[in-house]
Amino acid sequence: MSLRLTVSAAVLALAAFASSAAQADEGMWTFDNFPTATVNAKYGTDIDQRGWTACAARPSVCPAGCSASVVSGQGLVLTNHHCVVSCVQDLSDAENDYVQNGWMPAAREQERQCPGVQAQILTEITDVTDQVLTAGAGLEGAAFVQARNAVSRAIQEEACGDDDTRTCQVISFYRGGRFALYEYRNYSDVRLAFAPEFQAAFFGGDPDNFNYPRYALDAAFLRLYENGQVVETPNHLTWNPAPPTEGEPVFVAGNPGSTSRLLTVAQLENLRDQQIPVSQLQRSELRGRLIAFGERGEEQERVALDTLFGVENSFKAFYGQQLALNDGDFMGTKREQEAELRAAVAADPALAERIGDPWTELETVQSSVEELYLPYRQLESAAGGGSTLYSYARAIVRAAREGAKPAGERLPEYASETGLTNLRRRLADGTPVSSELDQLLLGFWLSKTREYLTTDNAAVQTLLGNESPEGLAERLATGTTLTDPAVRTALFDGGLAAVEASTDPMIQFVLRTEGLGREPRAQWEQRVSAPTGQAAERIAQARFAVYGDSQYPDATFSLRLSYGAVEGWSYRGVDVPPMTYIGGLYERATGAEPYNLASRWAEAEGRVNHETVYDFVSTNDIIGGNSGSPVINARGEVIGAAFDGNIHSLGGAFGYDGELNRTVSVSTAAVTEALRNVYRLPHLLEELGVE
């Protein structure tokens, strides 16, 4: 698991905060194009470069697919419990289940390192658009992709070299309209400082997920260390234990993962008709298998919990996306917006000549997507089905094979020395692996690959030979030695000769089969990625020509800022209030899962203040990846941590509805009350500056 620390101070120091138009509270804005004037006019705030931005320029943190924030001078990081549950699970064993019982050390010395977690602090952003666009000019297909990859790799290596304390990444914005180099400082010692019981953090379970009202303490604390010492973090958000107020302007700084708001109608239709349905069918069946696996016993239930949570969370998220894409009004709006842009281009002969007709080109590309998606998904992009042991083996085998080639001919993920160093670090991590769970995931992938590609498919015959998916998965998962990090690193360090000489069954299987994904990948890049990138680049140019900088780019898991207010909503005649209170937790509890109280909360019922604001909603525009983002008031103080969206927000991947879309956050008031009267951790309260 990677933890990316993004220091917004570095970004804000570069930002001019140009004013631009925004619709409602829409937008996951880059810091160099945040609509400051619009926000100030709408909410009466006084955000400027010298005042509020100096307070907002504090570290933002994102644990593997999430976000978070540094909230003390001693490297203390606030995030969601669901963002660190894999760490909590890795620290647990059959005798000590910290997921169910919580992790709450009484002193800093008792904090334990999260296996496999790394942190990165964003230090600088540089625009590299001209370099990247020039590299692909005049090229087609694979040559276009390779040229873009090569120049991005060169930019990254020039900036970071072989310094393994730094990471450099070229990120695309506006679907290829702009590129920027993000430079990070790496940390490899991240420790768990506090995590409540799973039942307290996820009260209401899957039925309440993406719904509201909520009564969840979805919060946890990590701490950053270097060379065995706490990392000093003088730039941090100030903890405000006061509750939010209705109508209060709030800001969310974090790393939203991925949105598709700039896709064309043809691309959205393919997602609706092919890609989402296929993935949802598999998630649905895998969910059932994981539930059955957990019913075998307490240990199986424990090791499957994090994986099951991820599958259920993804299933509901894509369910919401499917609803949006099936909504006639929603797609009608998308068609109108696309027609408006195309008409504006057509009305300008010079622009039309420069842009051409990328929309029709993308319609044509979708026929290739339909043809290639299943083999590409099953044999390459989703190969292994989430099996950790398979992923180790494929990384080792590909690193060995790619390492024998010149850098310019390698797969991009194996082309840089920094990338290989990071891979070796991941292989050396002592993260526990459940062979039993891995066997389930590997067998499911093999069976679905046979089902979707058919038994007579040559790739399927190579994968399975004369074995069944379940039998092969059992042989590989129980026979491999890759659960040992020393074995993994020895194979990695030994290169191709050591890998080919290995008798490990998982290594031998991957040596024989990993090439099956290379041809679908090459076809995908040639017929989908390259023409899509080229067409999207021209659509981005058209958008800039017509709308200027009044629009924000799609989310790319890079630092963004959204604005909004604490506000409920109305739907079909029902008014939903913006805040819930701790007292509502006890009223909602039934004693049966998923509405049973965590034991510490049941015992503390007479001590806690039932009037404390627990969770709240706001109009901020967020998406997956924003989980754990700090919710900041106009004074630059953290007053909550975003952990969810309401059911209406799930279509936010494709568009924002200011009337219905809401961010769901846990309040710092609730976290403070819990630390004081439920968990009784005065050292954390003192560190947060709370009396």
Side-chain angles (χ1 to χ4, degrees):
M1 181 169 64
S2 153
L3 177 83
R4 177 165 291 168
L5 228 89
T6 53
V7 181
S8 43
V11 185
L12 291 171
L14 303 173
F17 275 86
S19 297
S20 57
Q23 297 178 356
D25 291 342
E26 178 178 353
M28 304 167 201
W29 298 87
T30 55
F31 277 74
D32 57 355
N33 191 34
F34 187 71
T36 309
T38 299
V39 176
N40 286 339
K42 180 172 183 177
Y43 289 110
T45 52
D46 187 24
I47 299 171
D48 60 29
Q49 188 73 17
R50 298 182 303 276
W52 185 89
T53 56
C55 295
R58 308 301 185 190
S60 296
V61 184
C62 44
C66 289
S67 299
S69 56
V70 176
V71 291
S72 85
Q74 291 78 49
L76 190 67
V77 172
L78 169 70
T79 189
N80 292 155
H81 180 277
H82 78 257
C83 294
V84 303
V85 68
S86 59
C87 167
V88 183
Q89 185 161 310
D90 289 342
L91 294 178
S92 302
D93 53 35
E95 287 72 39
N96 299 287
D97 189 347
Y98 299 119
V99 175
Q100 296 301 330
N101 301 323
W103 173 260
M104 43 205 71
R108 186 179 303 175
E109 293 73 25
Q110 298 170 358
E111 297 168 354
R112 288 177 57 185
Q113 185 173 0
C114 288
V117 174
Q118 299 178 25
Q120 299 172 319
I121 298 181
L122 180 63
T123 58
E124 189 171 352
I125 296 176
T126 305
D127 187 277
V128 294
T129 302
D130 290 344
Q131 294 168 261
V132 178
L133 294 185
T134 300
L139 300 176
E140 301 288 339
F144 173 83
V145 175
Q146 291 169 2
R148 286 284 182 88
N149 289 338
V151 74
S152 295
R153 182 172 63 252
I155 292 169
Q156 292 165 177
E157 291 184 347
E158 181 180 357
C160 279
D162 58 359
D163 184 355
D164 63 6
T165 68
R166 299 172 63 220
T167 293
C168 290
Q169 181 182 14
V170 173
I171 299 176
S172 169
F173 298 93
Y174 298 100
R175 298 283 162 181
R178 175 178 171 248
F179 294 84
L181 172 67
Y182 278 52
E183 299 182 44
Y184 303 91
R185 176 71 164 82
N186 299 333
Y187 296 90
S188 58
D189 188 350
V190 180
R191 305 188 190 182
L192 186 63
F194 167 76
E197 310 93 328
F198 183 81
Q199 188 54 30
F202 198 45
F203 180 84
D206 187 59
D208 277 5
N209 194 24
F210 292 115
N211 282 304
Y212 193 81
R214 295 294 297 271
Y215 301 89
L217 192 76
D218 198 349
F221 289 105
L222 299 166
R223 194 182 303 279
L224 308 177
Y225 286 76
E226 188 175 36
N227 299 320
Q229 303 296 317
V230 170
V231 175
E232 298 296 323
T233 50
N235 289 329
H236 61 85
L237 284 171
T238 299
W239 184 271
N240 183 343
T245 58
E246 186 169 1
E248 178 179 6
V250 288
F251 306 83
V252 173
N255 298 267
S258 177
T259 56
S260 302
R261 297 179 183 180
L262 301 185
L263 293 185
T264 66
V265 170
Q267 291 173 299
L268 292 174
E269 288 174 339
N270 180 271
L271 285 174
R272 179 194 65 196
D273 298 338
Q274 182 186 30
Q275 296 183 45
I276 292 179
V278 167
S279 63
Q280 286 293 76
L281 282 170
Q282 294 202 26
R283 288 188 191 96
S284 179
E285 183 175 344
L286 180 58
R287 177 178 183 265
R289 293 196 184 200
L290 289 168
I291 290 173
F293 177 84
E295 290 172 346
R296 296 181 193 173
E298 291 184 359
E299 180 61 6
Q300 287 85 353
E301 182 180 17
R302 183 186 72 80
V303 299
L305 184 145
D306 187 30
T307 303
L308 176 60
F309 174 84
V311 170
E312 289 184 332
N313 197 60
S314 294
F315 183 88
K316 187 167 284 189
F318 281 98
Y319 171 74
Q321 292 183 22
Q322 186 81 58
L323 287 179
L325 294 176
N326 283 331
D327 184 277
D329 291 340
F330 180 87
M331 290 299 287
T333 299
K334 284 291 182 180
R335 291 186 178 91
E336 291 172 3
Q337 292 172 344
E338 184 171 299
E340 177 186 275
L341 179 59
R342 296 180 75 165
V345 171
D348 183 338
L351 180 61
E353 182 178 0
R354 178 161 62 92
I355 298 300
D357 189 5
W359 295 274
T360 299
E361 292 171 21
L362 285 172
E363 289 176 14
T364 302
V365 168
Q366 299 320 299
S367 62
S368 295
V369 174
E370 293 173 6
E371 174 190 345
L372 299 173
Y373 175 67
L374 283 177
Y376 174 66
R377 183 188 194 280
Q378 294 301 126
L379 299 175
E380 178 64 17
S381 66
S387 160
T388 301
L389 295 170
Y390 177 91
S391 72
Y392 285 152
R394 189 163 81 154
I396 290 168
V397 169
R398 284 197 165 174
R401 285 177 168 169
E402 296 300 303
K405 304 175 184 178
E409 298 177 13
R410 298 178 192 171
L411 295 174
E413 58 268 37
Y414 299 97
S416 72
E417 291 305 315
T418 300
L420 292 172
T421 298
N422 290 335
L423 171 58
R424 188 188 188 283
R425 186 183 293 118
R426 182 170 74 86
L427 294 171
D429 286 331
T431 305
V433 180
S434 167
S435 297
E436 192 177 9
L437 177 61
D438 229 61
Q439 178 182 327
L440 182 155
L441 297 172
L442 189 61
F444 180 74
W445 165 63
L446 290 167
S447 69
K448 291 293 105 176
T449 301
R450 182 177 65 180
E451 176 182 332
Y452 279 78
L453 302 186
T454 77
T455 299
D456 295 321
N457 181 275
V460 172
Q461 293 177 347
T462 300
L463 280 172
L464 295 178
N466 294 322
E467 296 181 88
S468 69
E470 295 75 19
L472 176 57
E474 180 180 10
R475 178 173 68 82
L476 296 177
T478 59
T480 186
T481 59
L482 295 181
T483 52
D484 185 348
V487 172
R488 301 194 297 262
T489 52
L491 285 168
F492 181 86
D493 292 341
L496 187 58
V499 170
E500 291 180 337
S502 172
T503 59
D504 185 279
M506 189 72 80
I507 290 291
Q508 285 298 313
F509 173 74
V510 173
L511 278 169
R512 182 170 57 84
T513 63
E514 70 87 16
L516 297 173
R518 290 177 181 257
E519 178 58 24
R521 174 173 176 161
Q523 287 291 316
W524 187 268
E525 291 178 349
Q526 171 78 19
R527 297 169 56 189
V528 177
S529 297
T532 296
Q534 291 170 319
E537 179 182 308
R538 283 181 283 129
I539 291 176
Q541 293 170 1
R543 286 183 179 276
F544 282 125
V546 174
Y547 303 118
D549 62 0
S550 65
Q551 296 189 345
Y552 55 91
D554 265 325
T556 55
F557 204 62
S558 54
L559 186 63
R560 304 294 179 89
L561 188 64
S562 72
Y563 67 91
V566 177
E567 183 180 305
W569 75 97
S570 296
Y571 183 64
R572 294 180 177 174
V574 177
D575 294 330
V576 183
M579 287 168 276
T580 64
Y581 301 86
I582 285 180
L585 168 71
Y586 295 99
E587 295 172 2
R588 197 173 183 85
T590 66
E593 293 186 356
Y595 296 104
N596 53 314
L597 289 170
S599 59
R600 287 185 180 84
W601 280 86
E603 188 272 332
E605 183 174 4
R607 293 195 303 271
V608 296
N609 181 356
H610 287 221
E611 301 303 315
T612 300
V613 172
Y614 206 152
D615 298 332
F616 65 97
V617 292
S618 62
T619 60
N620 295 85
D621 189 6
I622 68 167
I623 199 69
N626 270 121
S627 289
S629 292
V631 182
I632 307 168
N633 64 18
R635 295 185 298 277
E637 302 162 334
V638 60
I639 62 169
F643 71 89
D644 205 355
N646 64 357
I647 196 70
H648 308 289
S649 72
L650 292 175
F654 311 114
Y656 172 80
D657 183 343
E659 295 297 319
L660 296 176
N661 288 26
R662 293 295 181 269
T663 293
V664 183
S665 305
V666 59
S667 75
T668 52
V671 176
T672 301
E673 183 69 14
L675 293 176
R676 178 184 289 123
N677 290 320
V678 179
Y679 302 109
R680 296 179 173 180
L681 296 173
H683 71 287
L684 286 180
L685 291 171
E686 181 180 359
E687 184 173 350
L688 293 169
V690 178
E691 296 180 356

